[in-house]
Amino acid sequence: MKRNLLFFIMLCWLPIMVFGQSRQVTGTVTDAVTNQPIAGATIKAVGTSFVAQTDVNGHYEIGLNESTKFLFFTYIGYSSQQVAAAAGTVDVQLMPSAADLEEVVVVGYGTQIKKDITGSVASVKMADLENVPLQTVEAGLQGRAPGVFVNTSSGKLGQALQIRVRGISSISAGTQPLFVIDGVPMVTEALGTYDEPDNPLAAISPDDIESMEVLKDGAASAIYGSRASNGVVLISTKKGKAGRTKIDLNYFAGFSDPTNKGDFLNADQYRELLSAALVNGGYIGPDPDEQYPDVSAFWTDWTGTDDWDKNYNTNWVNEGMRRGSLQQGSLSISGGDAKTRFNASGSYSDTKGIIIGNRFKRTSGRIGVDHSAFDFLDIGGTLNINKIDNYRVNSDNAFSNPLQLNALPPIQPIRDENGELYNYTVYYNNLIDLENGNNLSSTYRTFGTAYANARITPDLLFRSEYGMDFQNLEEDLYLGMKTQDGGDSGGYGFSYQARSVNFNTNNTLSYSKVFNDIHNLNLLAGMSYQEQQFRFTMAEGKNFPSDQFRKITAAAVKSDASSSATSRAIVSYFARANYKLMDRYLFEASVRTDGSSRFGKEYKYATFPGASLGWVISEENFLKESQALNFLKLRASYGLTGNENIANFASRTLYRGANYAGTPGTVAYQLGDPRLTWEQTAQTNLGLDFGLLSDRISGTVEAYHKKTTDMLLDMPIVSTSGFTTVFRNIGSLENKGLELTLNSKNFVGEFKWSTSFNISWNRNKILKLVNGQPIYPGGRYLGRLEEGMPYGFFYGKAYAGVDPENGDALYYLDETRKTTTNEYSEAADQEIGDPNPSFFGGFGNKFSYKNFDLDIQTQFVSGNDIYNAAGGFQSANGDYFDNQTTDQMNYWKNPGDITMIPQPRFDSANGTRPSSRYIQDGSYFRIKNLVLGYNLPNETVTKLKMQRARVYVSATNLLTLTDYNGYDPEINTTFAGAIQLGTDFYTAPQPRTITFGINVGF
């Protein structure tokens, strides 16, 4: 297989003698309204692979064969045109179009014209985000793709995003969509050891991406079968286009600050609150046998320090968070002619995060070539090389997490009188980790594709493509002798290396034919094979000679070592048919059969069909002459998709090696089920697309229903087998919702103003669990799964406020919420919140006047609740030594006081245990991106020997409107598990970022 691969790659890159074009056509492409030249318009010779692109003045030149009869002109935001390929000069004016109905949209294993699509597909063009400092490419979907909920989760750099396409469709299998880059399904599972997973997609530079399409409904995504229940994101990279060689240089730099640091007590407030808590808790008083005479004596006895009487006033929050900085530069070269097109690029970015010690560096390089070897053969390929250095910070739950510095009392100093970091704080001063250790995660990722398109007949095309995705992850951790976790071990070192190799091949045969000018038929058949191999090796050591020796080879004790390897494979066969009658009646059907190594012997294969139809009503005679309604399409679809994102050998009973007093042996550690098979999601979709007033207003309305069955869950079994559970297909859940998209061109003259708006509603419900029993981890966290309820709803005690007579915390006795009790254990557990939003979306406006432009993109989320699990410590009215939020100063003091903050009582848990007291509305409205730019005039650019020049200022997370009083409403800690949605536990806020940049083209 490797020999064939090398031969194929060599073939794709081999210089081939080719025939020249027989004639040249030149011309200019302009805006039909303003008569201004359009730079970057694409011209394609119909029936050939010859393509050209206009320059900054709208000029183009393209070579043609004698058989070429038509030229096809396209540009985003304009209606496409097909004109006769006359000899000499062909000038074209394109009409602005809000609906972009002629836009080419990438779908599974091919492309379609937007107006012909019958499934549900959301498209995002990266040209709209080229001046936005995206850390990861998928962040560009946020607020721009209806039905796609993107939660950045944390302000930590390099951390995985949570992406849900039309709700959550699984409990135990994966909930992230399938990502496909240039036809290659990518590995998106975290390879590392951290509780908070890293983001493998962060290795891909957003500068290399052309567009992203999200396949949302069952019909659109069924072509990807067993991996499409959570939706599919198709990512297309940039390709070279025929025309003069273009050199583009982009650079930006800026700074970032936390959107919110929180308000915590100063030293005087801390002393007041803790003193009251100690007195009310019975620790201070006249009884020398049971009480302390004053707070100073108590403090010295409990902490071993005399800080209480010192004059320190430390802002520990500012020690954990800082002003960050970022810079990024990229250079790309592209061009070619009708025979050979190329694109080469490189980029470097360096971001110092808002969390102390957090840094993210990425270096990327890419080259791509497309070559028309003969009239019937196109070959090409791409190669991407990327490297990431991620200087990580620990889990939200770790005392070494810098955000947990806010728990330290402000009366304690950062450093002692010798300038050393103070290590007698009541909790760990985790700044020591930064000075006395390192935590680096490095990723090397290479992925590439090679393809050949052979036109067997004018209507029949064979395409073969091969892709490889190679990842190597290295984690290097050292905790020195002064650190909390390394001090008792004489220093601690940990080394981990993981390698993932993903091979994929697709082979398709497509047929396209128009009969009698009214029948348009497109057929596709193909097969796909993917194989992924994964292995890791780890070692740890203790007792180092000094902190100058940080590699495990220097450790006196090699305390642990391990290695493992696994692999999986999936083979697929698929077909699709598209039929269009008289440009108004649209039909599509697809089917895919997948075979996966992950499932039982008799259940390895499953078939996933999809079908959709559309009716372009505006093409009917009774609407064709309408002046108000120029486009109207009704579509409906049904599709069945699957989810196979589980452990590689979950269907098998597995054994591992064991140590019996030095004697090797084996022990069973997993009970398998040979009947294990796919989760399946059936989805129906109904959509209406419309364009009004010559597409000045356009939009889409969609309604859908998704039902997942055969969900994989742990089922309890009799423990006499040696196991208590077995993994089986048992549960079910559903999602149903509504999506609305509106676009308008408000002004189209010299002053342009366009608006985009999308809003989505989704309702999730658990339908079936094992024996109807809820899944409720309990403890500190409140997320729960229960039949008839939404995924991860909050379940626990309902807080009823404070008894005005005595300051006791009150809770509701039952679900009627009429009777209260001050006994926490007597209160009924009940539904107390829902982390799932009622609706979410985005709202954007673009303005341009002469050489100035302004782009404002906002996002909003409403109706979701957030559980601040850290509130039981940092808003605990003096129950612990933790510093408190300033709102705790409004505590109950005297009979008759009306407040929601109970009387502070040290170590008494008066209102501090998990309850709805720490659940708040997480709704927010955020100005996500704002870009103000200026394009230098053409005359100036020409004098400077450039094609274009632009300067801009960009802002991300500029303004957030919310009632949530935690760090940030756009959070979700990941270490607590998949069920715990909307949970905040010392989770880093989003950064507010300001950048200044320049784009130059030659």
Side-chain angles (χ1 to χ4, degrees), residues 462-537:
F462 174 73
R463 178 180 177 89
S464 181
E465 56 189 17
Y466 188 91
M468 181 191 71
D469 177 17
F470 177 86
Q471 288 187 77
N472 189 75
L473 171 69
E474 299 177 359
E475 292 179 1
D476 193 7
L477 172 68
Y478 179 76
L479 299 174
M481 300 177 190
K482 297 180 181 179
T483 66
Q484 183 181 57
D485 295 326
D488 293 338
S489 305
Y492 170 80
F494 175 81
S495 178
Y496 173 87
Q497 291 197 12
R499 188 185 75 178
S500 170
V501 182
N502 176 35
F503 299 99
N504 184 86
T505 182
N506 302 316
N507 296 276
T508 60
L509 191 65
S510 57
Y511 176 80
S512 180
K513 182 73 172 179
V514 177
F515 300 94
N516 299 327
D517 294 328
I518 62 170
H519 303 280
N520 192 317
L521 180 65
N522 290 274
L523 301 176
L524 172 77
M527 66 82 59
S528 174
Y529 176 78
Q530 181 180 4
E531 180 180 340
Q532 181 191 356
Q533 304 166 1
F534 172 77
R535 63 179 58 185
F536 77 83
T537 302

Side-chain angles (χ1 to χ4, degrees), residues 778-801:
R780 180 185 298 161
Y781 305 105
L782 301 177
R784 178 182 173 100
L785 301 178
E786 182 179 322
E787 291 183 358
M789 301 297 294
Y791 188 107
F793 77 101
F794 295 132
Y795 182 82
K797 313 292 185 183
Y799 185 64

Side-chain angles (χ1 to χ4, degrees), residues 672-708:
D673 181 358
R675 296 169 297 177
L676 203 69
T677 188
W678 326 82
E679 294 185 347
Q680 297 192 69
T681 299
Q683 182 175 180
T684 55
N685 188 85
L686 185 65
L688 183 70
D689 305 322
F690 59 87
L692 305 173
L693 304 175
S694 299
D695 285 336
R696 292 287 293 273
I697 301 174
S698 62
T700 297
V701 181
E702 294 193 82
Y704 62 87
H705 179 266
K706 296 171 61 177
K707 183 178 180 181
T708 301

Side-chain angles (χ1 to χ4, degrees), residues 51-72:
V51 180
Q53 193 174 34
T54 57
D55 61 18
V56 68
N57 297 312
H59 297 308
Y60 73 91
E61 180 177 335
I62 187 171
L64 307 179
N65 286 335
E66 287 296 339
S67 61
T68 304
K69 296 181 179 180
F70 297 98
L71 296 175
F72 192 65

Side-chain angles (χ1 to χ4, degrees), residues 758-772:
N758 71 82
I759 186 171
S760 303
W761 294 265
N762 183 79
R763 295 294 179 268
N764 175 282
K765 184 193 294 185
I766 303 292
L767 300 178
K768 182 181 178 182
L769 296 173
V770 179
N771 300 323

